[in-house]
Amino acid sequence: DTEVTQTPKHLVMGMTNKKSLKCEQHMGHRAMYWYKQKAKKPPELMFVYSYEKLSINESVPSRFSPECPNSSLLNLHLHALQPEDSALYLCASSQVTFLRGPLYNSPLHFGNGTRLTVT
Amino acid sequence: EDKVVQSPLSLVVHEGDTVTLNCSYEVTNFRSLLWYKQEKKAPTFLFMLTSSGIEKKSGRLSSILDKKELSSILNITATQTGDSAIYLCAVLYNFNKFYFGSGTKLNVKP
């Protein structure tokens, strides 16, 4: 079990559907991430929220829409996806601390992911 | 272009062997290097290295960072079948950005 919880575990959707992936953490982390992982490939960064504000968007297509309603929750809204979007979607969180000098990030803690299949 | 390169891509050993996995990086504003183990689902954290030359150790696993050579190694001694997994190297750079290498797939045979 991880301290980052993702739902659902599996999702099958058609190309015209709208669905959402959800992620929740209660570790008090202030940075939350979405990664996409295709089979036999490393996780690829999609989005980063820092203090509930979108800080990084890695040129992700607009059919993926992230949302961070509060410091514990992260959603990924999906609309009009393509079959090539089928992958494992991983949520992660990291503590962010502003100290005198460089910013400190704790290691990423991952959820178990949502296995998405687009038909 | 920023990049993280791991080698070898895959490795097959027998139980009891010692393995060394490599990670090299070229990124701007390097902050830390991390090692993760991924079996079936979520990557699990192993080590975070920020300072050069200081070995981190956990049981049979150890890791060290060389900032002059822009590289790190992960050692596993007395390997067991439970060590079979993909080992991912990640680099934290800029603000909040964790970038992963392609991973090393380790297969430990009985």
Side-chain angles (χ1 to χ4, degrees), chain A residues 33 35 37 42 103 105 108 111, chain B residues 31 36 38 42 95-96 98 101:
Chain A
Y33 301 73
Y35 280 85
Q37 188 173 27
L103 171 73
N105 273 94
L108 287 173
Chain B
R31 305 293 300 281
Y36 284 84
Q38 187 172 28
F95 175 60
N96 272 334
F98 292 84

Side-chain angles (χ1 to χ4, degrees), chain B residues 4-109:
Chain B
V4 179
V5 178
Q6 291 187 243
S7 63
L9 291 180
S10 66
L11 193 54
V12 181
V13 300
H14 287 93
E15 273 192 316
D17 289 349
T18 292
V19 298
T20 298
L21 309 183
N22 300 282
C23 177
S24 63
Y25 61 90
E26 279 185 52
V27 299
T28 51
N29 299 319
F30 172 86
R31 305 293 300 281
S32 301
L33 186 144
L34 301 92
W35 285 97
Y36 284 84
K37 177 183 182 182
Q38 187 172 28
E39 296 175 87
K40 291 186 179 175
K41 289 191 177 177
T44 53
F45 170 70
L46 296 175
F47 298 111
M48 184 172 185
L49 306 159
T50 304
S51 301
S52 203
I54 299 174
E55 186 184 50
K56 292 214 171 178
K57 201 170 169 66
S58 175
R60 297 176 293 102
L61 278 66
S62 64
S63 184
I64 195 161
L65 175 66
D66 185 338
K67 287 169 106 170
K68 189 175 176 184
E69 297 295 325
L70 306 184
S71 65
S72 173
I73 59 170
L74 174 68
N75 281 319
I76 308 175
T77 59
T79 51
Q80 302 171 357
T81 54
D83 295 327
S84 295
I86 296 173
Y87 290 83
L88 294 164
C89 169
V91 171
L92 170 62
Y93 67 108
N94 290 335
F95 175 60
N96 272 334
K97 211 163 185 178
F98 292 84
Y99 184 87
F100 284 83
S102 54
T104 292
K105 184 174 182 180
L106 175 64
N107 183 5
V108 182
K109 294 193 167 183

Side-chain angles (χ1 to χ4, degrees), chain A:
Chain A
D1 285 346
T2 70
E3 296 176 75
V4 179
T5 304
Q6 289 188 245
T7 56
K9 291 182 181 172
H10 300 275
L11 178 63
V12 179
M13 62 185 288
M15 289 189 283
T16 58
N17 291 159
K18 283 185 182 182
K19 296 285 185 184
S20 296
L21 309 185
K22 296 186 183 301
C23 175
E24 189 169 3
Q25 59 90 11
H26 292 289
M27 295 179 284
H29 290 175
R30 301 310 296 271
M32 294 187 76
Y33 301 73
W34 282 114
Y35 280 85
K36 172 183 177 180
Q37 188 173 27
K38 302 278 275 184
K40 300 183 182 180
K41 296 287 186 183
E44 291 178 39
L45 182 61
M46 300 176 73
F47 301 106
V48 182
Y49 274 83
S50 180
Y51 287 83
E52 296 92 72
K53 291 194 186 328
L54 183 65
S55 61
I56 297 174
N57 176 343
E58 291 286 278
S59 303
V60 179
S62 60
R63 58 185 185 269
F64 295 91
S65 175
E67 179 196 18
C68 189
N70 60 53
S71 60
S72 301
L73 293 174
L74 185 66
N75 299 321
L76 186 62
H77 303 298
L78 315 171
H79 174 54
L81 294 194
Q82 304 296 310
E84 59 264 30
D85 296 321
S86 298
L88 180 68
Y89 287 84
L90 292 164
C91 173
S93 68
S94 169
Q95 184 55 287
V96 176
T97 306
F98 292 94
L99 301 172
R100 261 182 293 164
L103 171 73
Y104 171 75
N105 273 94
S106 73
L108 287 173
H109 290 256
F110 284 92
N112 277 329
T114 294
R115 177 76 59 189
L116 174 68
T117 303
V118 182
T119 60

